[in-house]
Amino acid sequence: VQAVALSPVVDFAHLAEFIGASSYPPSLVRSAARLAEARVFIAVGHDDRRVGTALTQDLVAEVYKARPDAAVTLVVTESPGHK
């Protein structure tokens, strides 16, 4: 594994403390092709409302669009994650 992401912040615009901010880091989705070149392990809670379970799943989908044989493992845990 070259990268590990536990409850990753895929899009800072999703975080409450960034609402209304004039700028924030770009979404990780923009880096999907780059992530597709690495061995990546990602874990997120099944209902993580802070970082967004669906955003994490969307990121992984984009990685596989970029490279269908990407070595990315996504684990969605029973833990709800951040609230």
Side-chain angles (χ1 to χ4, degrees):
V1 173
Q2 294 170 311
V4 174
L6 305 175
S7 298
V9 176
V10 174
D11 191 343
F12 279 83
H14 183 76
L15 296 177
E17 55 266 49
F18 283 88
I19 292 174
S22 59
S23 66
Y24 34 80
S27 170
L28 278 179
V29 172
R30 292 182 58 192
S31 299
R34 190 168 172 205
L35 288 171
E37 300 302 319
R39 292 185 319 266
V40 181
F41 176 86
I42 301 171
V44 67
H46 75 278
D47 188 26
D48 194 319
R49 296 178 189 170
R50 177 160 167 70
V51 300
T53 301
L55 292 173
T56 303
Q57 293 168 320
D58 292 345
L59 169 63
V60 172
E62 289 299 317
V63 169
Y64 281 114
K65 279 185 191 175
R67 183 174 176 180
D69 65 341
V72 174
T73 300
L74 172 64
V75 176
V76 180
T77 67
E78 291 295 318
S79 167
H82 299 90
K83 292 290 179 180

